[in-house]
Structure formats: structure tokens, C-alpha cells
Amino acid sequence: MLEIKDLHAGFEGTEIVKGISLTVNKGEIHAIMGPNGSGKSTLSKILAGHPSYEAMGGTVTFMGKDLLELSPDQRALEGIFLGFQYPVEVPGVNNAEFLRMAYNAKMARQGKEELDPLDFDDILDEKMKLVGMDPKYKDRSLNEGFSGGEKKKNEILQMAVLQPKLAILDETDSGLDIDALRVVANGVNKLVNQDNAIILITHYQRLLEYVKPHYVHVLSKGKIVKSGDKSLALDLEAQGYDWLTPIPK
Amino acid sequence: MKTNTVPKPSVSEVLENKDDYKYGFTTDIESDVFLKGLDENVIRAISQKKNEPPFMLEFRLKAYRKWLTMKEPAWPNVKYPPIDYQNISYYAAPKARKKLESLDEVDPEILKTFEKLGIPLEEQKRLSNVAVDAVFDSVSVATTHKKKLMEHGIIFCPISEAVQEYPELVEEYLGTVVPVGDNFFAALNSAVFTDGSFVYIPPDTVSPMELSTYFRINTEETGQFERTLIICAENSYVSYLEGCTAPRFDTNQLHAAVVELVTLDNAEIKYSTVQNWYAGDKETGKGGIYNFVTKRGKCLGKNSKISWTQVETGSAITWKYPSCILMGDNSSGEFYSVALTNGHMQADTGTKMIHIGRNTRYSIISKGISADYSSNSYRGLVKVNKSAANARNYTQCDSMLVGEKCSAHTFPYIESANSTARLEHEASTSKISEEQLFYLESRGISRENAITAVISGFCKEVFKQLPMEFAVEAQKLLTLKLEDSVG
Ligand SMILES: Nc1ncnc2c1ncn2[C@@H]1O[C@H](COP(=O)(O)OP(=O)(O)OP(=O)(O)O)[C@@H](O)[C@H]1O
Ligand SMILES: [Mg+2]
């Protein structure tokens, strides 16, 4: 599904991702862990097409297409979803209306009929129940004044509405209380099936108790320094990252 | 500036020389255009052309004499080369028969022009819930739904017609809100205005449809000086819309309009504008309309209300402060504004409100969006007279910058002579955020729709005030204008 080959990428000429290769197949859950500033969010934004970041080398193929050639909205319509580490607030844009716009963009792409606010409301109600969100958040402005945890839940709600093929969740578990964490994990588990895949970026073993990754990768200084199964996450929890980081020469 | 560059022709010469100017038209119709230049004879000729009663000629001459003693205001935060008022023609009209009995007599080219602009005037095609007065250059060419409105006692007609048919009403109210010598541009307008709309809503009447005027400048070297007068009698209500466009010329055209609104006891006027005059070339700044407009409402009656909503997206220069004089006790005013500048546009706009009656309220929501090299200023004056006990005023003024080279300015002035007044002012400046756009795009929403969403979100409180169709138009207009600027 997703094939990253020797990807170099960064920001205003500074290389932050320094040669990453990663293959994600349908039905797989990958966890990416690693110290602060190691390039996890940068990698996720490069995949989603953030205009401030540029690919400097390597290739990314998604469902047979050259991902780096596509605009952010095209990538989303191909089935990529990024759950942001820091979701932005968009004042004046109604949350439900925003979700309907995104949903209808997907419908239009698939040649299906777009939904009017009433019909969409039914879908939205169901999804909100799924992620345990109060219907009152429908009428709020997108993320405006949401608490940290509410913003994260709203990301999961968007994922549930859009049902992407590949979801990249950047620290969606950070800042969540125990109940919310369970809800998020639940949402993630409901999303995974043989046809789609998830990349979880996280600092905590906690989430991985609910969502079982098939692979765990450790990112350090822009490189994947170790990959393993879920036991790697336990080792990291116990020992930290020091033993993995390459000793400077 | 006001030196004569043309020899002074007599009134009859002015009227006869009308065919000398045949160039500069975009809609290819035969027009009646006066020689360039302005003096008392030109004014007499306009008045004669319009077959006006003597009080109108006196009104015009008084204004003209006043104008000669006045100076163009220098305080607005805009720059432009001096205007040669003798190098403008003060009258241009599509050549037509004496009086149009029905729309069939309107030049089909003009009907086509309005249709292209989305304002079909023909019986079968026209909007059923909006009555339209279509003004082409200096004259009104058609007014729809006139009869139906008349059944309710509502007068909606070109002001030139009102001068003939309802001279008492015109004489009673014209110039009572904006006196002839109010300011340089208002004085000029009072001297030379050629057409515009007139509305009278009788007591105890809610207008069964929206009324609207659509202005089209077509002739290159003519100034447009339209005049609108709306009177809303006791316990009545009307919602009025105004739209405007002009073709692309390399020269600048002067548009100096005056709008006067009057509300009597318990009456309400809601006045909405979507202004999209040609703004000049985006890269060079060449051409575009100079939009110097005086709009003012007088809440004469108690409990009356005037609400201004404007979406300003065009004009090379905008100089405009829709204002309210709150005279009646418990009267209230509102000002909702979105002003967008891009390219080399300059806007100095805002509002002025004068609290005179007791318990008067006014609220102002102003949203400025500046892009490219443009300059966008908000100027607001809140004045509370000694008599205005318990006046309340709330101002919120937000600016959004798109790009690095544009600017936004805020000039709030407050003068209060009554200690019971409660005045609040809030202001903010922000940048359109690439992060917000990316966030929406990353959900599959196109860049165009993302820009629309973010800008509409910013302008929400103002758009909410517009009638549905206008709100949609306004959103589209803003997106169109900003697409290149956001990049
Ligand atoms: N827009 C930017 N401007 C300046 N520096 C940036 C920018 N984006 C990323 N960086 C730098 O790149 C490095 C990697 O950042 P990134 O956000 O990818 O780290 P991360 O692995 O997600 O960290 P965390 O675990 O703290 O979220 C950091 O040193 C960061 O400061
Ligand atoms: Mg991060």
C-alpha cells in the first residue's frame, strides 16, 4: 500500500528526515516511536503534503501512485489521513459543516451523490456516538476553544467519518484521559480491517496495550534505527532510547 | 484643479453637442454623452434634460456653489493623483425614447449586459422575490415589479421619476440626511447626480420582497453620481440591496454616490451592499474606479433602526463610511462590514455614528482583509452628544493579512459628552494561516474551498446578515479575488 524508499526531507533546506525506508501493507498496524525532535511529525507531514516541507530525495508510492506528486487534498482523496499532533483552530468554520465538506469531497471523488446537511447529520450522529463525543460539538467552530483532549477526539471523529485507507495518527494518544484513550483505541480498532492500514506515532506503551501493532519502529535523528515487533515497545518503555542512538564518532 | 480646460458652452450648446463622444463604450449602444467639463450651464443642462421642477435646479446650483468653495479631503489614508474635474463628462445615458412604457423598449444590448451580470430583467426570467432597479451609467433603464409593489403603496422607482411624480416627498427629504455641503464629494453629487433609486414605504407596511438597485458603469470618461433616497414610514420595514460592477478600463472613473435613509417611528431599513467595481490591474494598479461615497441614515423616529451591511471587494480606491444619526429615543444602528483589498487597491472605510436620542444603541463589526500590495484602513467615529443618556456602543474590528506586502490600519475616534455612555472597542490583526488551509486540504477539501471556508469563517458575523443569495455571491467573490494572493 505505502512504500517509502530512502526518503530525505526537511524544511527550508535543512534535512530532518535522513533516509527512511518503510513498507506498509494492507491490514497492518505500524507504530513509530522515538525521542522528541527525531522527525516523526516531519515524516507524517511530508506524507500528507504540508507545503512548508520538501522532499529532497527518495520516493514514496501509495497504492501505485507517486504520492509526492499529489496535492494535499488529492492525497486525502486517495485515502491518506493525518491525525495531527497539534490540530489547528479554524474560527467561524462550523465543525459539522467542515466534516460534511470533507465527506462530500470524498463522495464526489468516488462519483457518489453528495449529502445534504440533513442526511449527513445521521451519519455524523452515529460516528459521534462511536467516538463518544457529545453532539454539542457539531455546532462549535472547528477546534476553536476545544481542550487538548477534545481536539484529539475530533481528529478521531474525522477519521471515522472519512474512513481512510491509511491513517497516520501523530500522538493522538497524548493528552487523553484514560477513558478517552480507550475510546480512541476503540475507534482505531474499528477502523482496521484487511483493506486499510494505520501508522501510530506515539511515545507511550499505554496505547499499544489497546491497539496491537504488528511492527514497531524507532526513529532517531531522522533515521529508523531499529524495527521489531510489539515487544520492542516494552523494551523502550523500560530502557529509554539511549541504547539505540548511534554513538557519535 | 477646477480650472476650466474647455471653453464654456451655453446650455443649448451642451445639449446639442451630445453626440461628440462616441468612444469608450463597452456595451455597444448609442449613448447621449455631454461634453467634458462642469459649470453652471452643465448643471442647468442636466436639470433640463431631466425635465426637473425648479426646486431641483436650485438644490443643484446651491450644491455646486458650495462645492466651488470646498477642498477634496486630504485625511483619508489613500493616495491618488489629482482628479481633473473638468476632464469628466457629467452625463451619459443610453439613447432612448422619451419615456419607456415597458421593458420591451429597453435596448436589448442593455438587457443582455444585465443578464450577463446575473440580473435578468425580462418578465419571464427575473427573480420573483427581488425587485430590481437597473441603473446604466447615469440613468435608470428598468425597474421590475413596480406594479406589484404599488399595490402595497410602496414606491420604488428611479429618483429622476420620483422628482416628477412625487416632488413633495423628494423635496421634503432630499438633502436632509446628507446636506448639500456635507463634504466635497457629496456636494459634487448633489450638483450633478443624474439617477439612482427612490423608495418610499408607507406606514404599517412590510415590503413583500427585497428591493435592489444594480449599478453598471459603462462609459469610460463619465463619472457616475447616483443618488438614492429611502424613506421608511411608521411601523414599516424594508430590506434593500445594492450591487455594482464596471468594465475594465486603463483610466480611472469617478464614482461619487450619495445614499440617504430615513426611518420614522418603529421603522427599520436594512441596507446591504456588495460592491465589486473594477479595481484596476492587479499587477500595475492601472485603471479602476475611485469610489467616494457618502452613505448616511437618520433614525428620526423612536425605536427605529438602520442596519448597514457592506461587502466591499472592488474599486481602486474606496472612501466610504456608512453612518447613522440616532435621533429618536431607543433607536439603534448596526454596521457590518467586510472590506477586501488586493492588488494595489486602497480602502479607507468604516462608519460614523452620532448618538443624540436617549437609550440609543449602535454595534459595529468590521472585518478587513488585505492581500498583495493593498492598504486597508478602518476609520470609525463614535460621537455621543450630551442629550444621549445611556448610549451604548460596541465596536469589533478585525483585520486579516494575506501575504507580506499589504497593510492594515485602524483609526478609532471616540467623542463622548455624556458620562452615562457605555462604549466598548475591540480590535485584532491576524494572518491567514497556511496551517489552517493545510488542515482543511488534508481532509480532501480543495484549496479553493479551503480558502473560502477560512475567509467565510473570518467574515461569518457579517455574511450572516446578508440575504442568502447575496451571501453565497459574496463568498464566491472573495474566494475568486484571493485565490492568486494566497498562492
Ligand atoms: N517548521 C519548522 N521550523 C523549524 N524547525 C522545524 C520545523 N519543523 C520541524 N523542525 C525541526 O525538525 C526536528 C524534528 O521535528 P519533528 O516535529 O518532526 O519531531 P518529532 O519527532 O515529531 O518530535 P516530538 O516527539 O516532540 O513530537 C525538530 O528539531 C524541529 O525543531
Ligand atoms: Mg511530533
PDB file of all heavy atoms in Angstrom, chain B residues 270-286:
ATOM      1  N   LYS B 270     -32.954  47.844   6.305  1.00  0.00           N
ATOM      2  CA  LYS B 270     -31.748  47.022   6.266  1.00  0.00           C
ATOM      3  C   LYS B 270     -31.136  47.239   4.891  1.00  0.00           C
ATOM      4  O   LYS B 270     -31.764  46.965   3.874  1.00  0.00           O
ATOM      5  CB  LYS B 270     -32.169  45.560   6.444  1.00  0.00           C
ATOM      6  CG  LYS B 270     -31.040  44.612   6.579  1.00  0.00           C
ATOM      7  CD  LYS B 270     -31.602  43.244   6.992  1.00  0.00           C
ATOM      8  CE  LYS B 270     -30.624  42.132   6.725  1.00  0.00           C
ATOM      9  NZ  LYS B 270     -29.325  42.317   7.369  1.00  0.00           N
ATOM     10  N   TYR B 271     -29.951  47.786   4.846  1.00  0.00           N
ATOM     11  CA  TYR B 271     -29.340  48.169   3.577  1.00  0.00           C
ATOM     12  C   TYR B 271     -28.075  47.345   3.360  1.00  0.00           C
ATOM     13  O   TYR B 271     -27.146  47.399   4.149  1.00  0.00           O
ATOM     14  CB  TYR B 271     -28.996  49.656   3.624  1.00  0.00           C
ATOM     15  CG  TYR B 271     -28.613  50.266   2.298  1.00  0.00           C
ATOM     16  CD1 TYR B 271     -29.486  51.113   1.625  1.00  0.00           C
ATOM     17  CD2 TYR B 271     -27.378  50.007   1.709  1.00  0.00           C
ATOM     18  CE1 TYR B 271     -29.141  51.686   0.407  1.00  0.00           C
ATOM     19  CE2 TYR B 271     -27.034  50.570   0.487  1.00  0.00           C
ATOM     20  CZ  TYR B 271     -27.914  51.410  -0.153  1.00  0.00           C
ATOM     21  OH  TYR B 271     -27.574  51.966  -1.358  1.00  0.00           O
ATOM     22  N   SER B 272     -28.056  46.549   2.304  1.00  0.00           N
ATOM     23  CA  SER B 272     -26.890  45.694   2.051  1.00  0.00           C
ATOM     24  C   SER B 272     -26.227  46.037   0.726  1.00  0.00           C
ATOM     25  O   SER B 272     -26.912  46.292  -0.259  1.00  0.00           O
ATOM     26  CB  SER B 272     -27.297  44.217   2.000  1.00  0.00           C
ATOM     27  OG  SER B 272     -28.171  43.892   3.047  1.00  0.00           O
ATOM     28  N   THR B 273     -24.937  46.030   0.716  1.00  0.00           N
ATOM     29  CA  THR B 273     -24.182  46.340  -0.500  1.00  0.00           C
ATOM     30  C   THR B 273     -23.177  45.243  -0.782  1.00  0.00           C
ATOM     31  O   THR B 273     -22.491  44.794   0.131  1.00  0.00           O
ATOM     32  CB  THR B 273     -23.342  47.624  -0.301  1.00  0.00           C
ATOM     33  OG1 THR B 273     -24.191  48.650   0.165  1.00  0.00           O
ATOM     34  CG2 THR B 273     -22.670  48.040  -1.583  1.00  0.00           C
ATOM     35  N   VAL B 274     -23.102  44.816  -2.045  1.00  0.00           N
ATOM     36  CA  VAL B 274     -21.949  44.041  -2.468  1.00  0.00           C
ATOM     37  C   VAL B 274     -21.310  44.866  -3.572  1.00  0.00           C
ATOM     38  O   VAL B 274     -21.880  45.035  -4.636  1.00  0.00           O
ATOM     39  CB  VAL B 274     -22.340  42.640  -2.971  1.00  0.00           C
ATOM     40  CG1 VAL B 274     -21.121  41.932  -3.542  1.00  0.00           C
ATOM     41  CG2 VAL B 274     -22.927  41.823  -1.826  1.00  0.00           C
ATOM     42  N   GLN B 275     -20.156  45.428  -3.266  1.00  0.00           N
ATOM     43  CA  GLN B 275     -19.516  46.361  -4.194  1.00  0.00           C
ATOM     44  C   GLN B 275     -18.364  45.676  -4.905  1.00  0.00           C
ATOM     45  O   GLN B 275     -17.430  45.198  -4.283  1.00  0.00           O
ATOM     46  CB  GLN B 275     -19.043  47.582  -3.410  1.00  0.00           C
ATOM     47  CG  GLN B 275     -18.439  48.691  -4.260  1.00  0.00           C
ATOM     48  CD  GLN B 275     -16.932  48.601  -4.325  1.00  0.00           C
ATOM     49  OE1 GLN B 275     -16.334  48.236  -5.328  1.00  0.00           O
ATOM     50  NE2 GLN B 275     -16.292  48.925  -3.217  1.00  0.00           N
ATOM     51  N   ASN B 276     -18.438  45.609  -6.215  1.00  0.00           N
ATOM     52  CA  ASN B 276     -17.379  44.975  -6.988  1.00  0.00           C
ATOM     53  C   ASN B 276     -17.032  45.806  -8.213  1.00  0.00           C
ATOM     54  O   ASN B 276     -16.999  45.298  -9.320  1.00  0.00           O
ATOM     55  CB  ASN B 276     -17.806  43.562  -7.392  1.00  0.00           C
ATOM     56  CG  ASN B 276     -16.682  42.795  -8.042  1.00  0.00           C
ATOM     57  OD1 ASN B 276     -15.509  43.098  -7.807  1.00  0.00           O
ATOM     58  ND2 ASN B 276     -17.026  41.823  -8.874  1.00  0.00           N
ATOM     59  N   TRP B 277     -16.779  47.071  -8.027  1.00  0.00           N
ATOM     60  CA  TRP B 277     -16.317  47.901  -9.140  1.00  0.00           C
ATOM     61  C   TRP B 277     -14.963  47.387  -9.605  1.00  0.00           C
ATOM     62  O   TRP B 277     -14.213  46.798  -8.826  1.00  0.00           O
ATOM     63  CB  TRP B 277     -16.151  49.359  -8.706  1.00  0.00           C
ATOM     64  CG  TRP B 277     -17.377  50.095  -8.292  1.00  0.00           C
ATOM     65  CD1 TRP B 277     -17.614  50.631  -7.058  1.00  0.00           C
ATOM     66  CD2 TRP B 277     -18.522  50.433  -9.098  1.00  0.00           C
ATOM     67  NE1 TRP B 277     -18.825  51.272  -7.061  1.00  0.00           N
ATOM     68  CE2 TRP B 277     -19.405  51.162  -8.291  1.00  0.00           C
ATOM     69  CE3 TRP B 277     -18.866  50.181 -10.422  1.00  0.00           C
ATOM     70  CZ2 TRP B 277     -20.618  51.646  -8.749  1.00  0.00           C
ATOM     71  CZ3 TRP B 277     -20.077  50.656 -10.900  1.00  0.00           C
ATOM     72  CH2 TRP B 277     -20.938  51.385 -10.066  1.00  0.00           C
ATOM     73  N   TYR B 278     -14.617  47.689 -10.844  1.00  0.00           N
ATOM     74  CA  TYR B 278     -13.301  47.292 -11.348  1.00  0.00           C
ATOM     75  C   TYR B 278     -12.217  47.946 -10.490  1.00  0.00           C
ATOM     76  O   TYR B 278     -12.268  49.136 -10.186  1.00  0.00           O
ATOM     77  CB  TYR B 278     -13.164  47.704 -12.822  1.00  0.00           C
ATOM     78  CG  TYR B 278     -11.820  47.365 -13.398  1.00  0.00           C
ATOM     79  CD1 TYR B 278     -11.311  46.069 -13.309  1.00  0.00           C
ATOM     80  CD2 TYR B 278     -11.041  48.331 -14.028  1.00  0.00           C
ATOM     81  CE1 TYR B 278     -10.074  45.760 -13.820  1.00  0.00           C
ATOM     82  CE2 TYR B 278      -9.804  48.028 -14.558  1.00  0.00           C
ATOM     83  CZ  TYR B 278      -9.315  46.743 -14.443  1.00  0.00           C
ATOM     84  OH  TYR B 278      -8.084  46.433 -14.954  1.00  0.00           O
ATOM     85  N   ALA B 279     -11.229  47.140 -10.069  1.00  0.00           N
ATOM     86  CA  ALA B 279     -10.267  47.609  -9.076  1.00  0.00           C
ATOM     87  C   ALA B 279      -8.935  48.032  -9.677  1.00  0.00           C
ATOM     88  O   ALA B 279      -8.014  48.390  -8.962  1.00  0.00           O
ATOM     89  CB  ALA B 279     -10.036  46.519  -8.039  1.00  0.00           C
ATOM     90  N   GLY B 280      -8.830  47.996 -10.992  1.00  0.00           N
ATOM     91  CA  GLY B 280      -7.542  48.316 -11.607  1.00  0.00           C
ATOM     92  C   GLY B 280      -6.749  47.047 -11.840  1.00  0.00           C
ATOM     93  O   GLY B 280      -7.088  45.983 -11.316  1.00  0.00           O
ATOM     94  N   ASP B 281      -5.690  47.165 -12.622  1.00  0.00           N
ATOM     95  CA  ASP B 281      -4.878  45.996 -12.928  1.00  0.00           C
ATOM     96  C   ASP B 281      -4.169  45.508 -11.664  1.00  0.00           C
ATOM     97  O   ASP B 281      -3.583  46.298 -10.928  1.00  0.00           O
ATOM     98  CB  ASP B 281      -3.844  46.355 -13.997  1.00  0.00           C
ATOM     99  CG  ASP B 281      -3.099  45.138 -14.489  1.00  0.00           C
ATOM    100  OD1 ASP B 281      -2.080  44.774 -13.855  1.00  0.00           O
ATOM    101  OD2 ASP B 281      -3.545  44.537 -15.473  1.00  0.00           O
ATOM    102  N   LYS B 282      -4.231  44.216 -11.441  1.00  0.00           N
ATOM    103  CA  LYS B 282      -3.684  43.667 -10.194  1.00  0.00           C
ATOM    104  C   LYS B 282      -2.185  43.903 -10.064  1.00  0.00           C
ATOM    105  O   LYS B 282      -1.668  44.119  -8.982  1.00  0.00           O
ATOM    106  CB  LYS B 282      -3.966  42.163 -10.115  1.00  0.00           C
ATOM    107  CG  LYS B 282      -5.101  41.819  -9.183  1.00  0.00           C
ATOM    108  CD  LYS B 282      -5.150  40.340  -8.920  1.00  0.00           C
ATOM    109  CE  LYS B 282      -4.578  40.046  -7.544  1.00  0.00           C
ATOM    110  NZ  LYS B 282      -4.809  38.665  -7.132  1.00  0.00           N
ATOM    111  N   GLU B 283      -1.472  43.833 -11.207  1.00  0.00           N
ATOM    112  CA  GLU B 283      -0.010  43.961 -11.161  1.00  0.00           C
ATOM    113  C   GLU B 283       0.428  45.427 -11.179  1.00  0.00           C
ATOM    114  O   GLU B 283       1.227  45.847 -10.359  1.00  0.00           O
ATOM    115  CB  GLU B 283       0.620  43.225 -12.347  1.00  0.00           C
ATOM    116  CG  GLU B 283       0.359  41.728 -12.332  1.00  0.00           C
ATOM    117  CD  GLU B 283       0.769  41.079 -11.011  1.00  0.00           C
ATOM    118  OE1 GLU B 283       1.829  41.454 -10.458  1.00  0.00           O
ATOM    119  OE2 GLU B 283       0.020  40.202 -10.523  1.00  0.00           O
ATOM    120  N   THR B 284      -0.110  46.196 -12.125  1.00  0.00           N
ATOM    121  CA  THR B 284       0.362  47.563 -12.308  1.00  0.00           C
ATOM    122  C   THR B 284      -0.444  48.583 -11.522  1.00  0.00           C
ATOM    123  O   THR B 284       0.016  49.695 -11.275  1.00  0.00           O
ATOM    124  CB  THR B 284       0.274  47.969 -13.793  1.00  0.00           C
ATOM    125  OG1 THR B 284      -1.117  47.949 -14.174  1.00  0.00           O
ATOM    126  CG2 THR B 284       1.025  46.984 -14.676  1.00  0.00           C
ATOM    127  N   GLY B 285      -1.666  48.230 -11.146  1.00  0.00           N
ATOM    128  CA  GLY B 285      -2.517  49.182 -10.444  1.00  0.00           C
ATOM    129  C   GLY B 285      -3.193  50.173 -11.381  1.00  0.00           C
ATOM    130  O   GLY B 285      -3.860  51.103 -10.945  1.00  0.00           O
ATOM    131  N   LYS B 286      -3.024  49.970 -12.680  1.00  0.00           N
ATOM    132  CA  LYS B 286      -3.596  50.910 -13.650  1.00  0.00           C
ATOM    133  C   LYS B 286      -5.116  50.764 -13.753  1.00  0.00           C
ATOM    134  O   LYS B 286      -5.634  49.660 -13.815  1.00  0.00           O
ATOM    135  CB  LYS B 286      -2.977  50.621 -15.024  1.00  0.00           C
ATOM    136  CG  LYS B 286      -2.726  51.863 -15.800  1.00  0.00           C
ATOM    137  CD  LYS B 286      -1.884  51.619 -17.022  1.00  0.00           C
ATOM    138  CE  LYS B 286      -1.838  52.974 -17.723  1.00  0.00           C
ATOM    139  NZ  LYS B 286      -1.493  52.970 -19.063  1.00  0.00           N
TER     140      LYS B 286
END
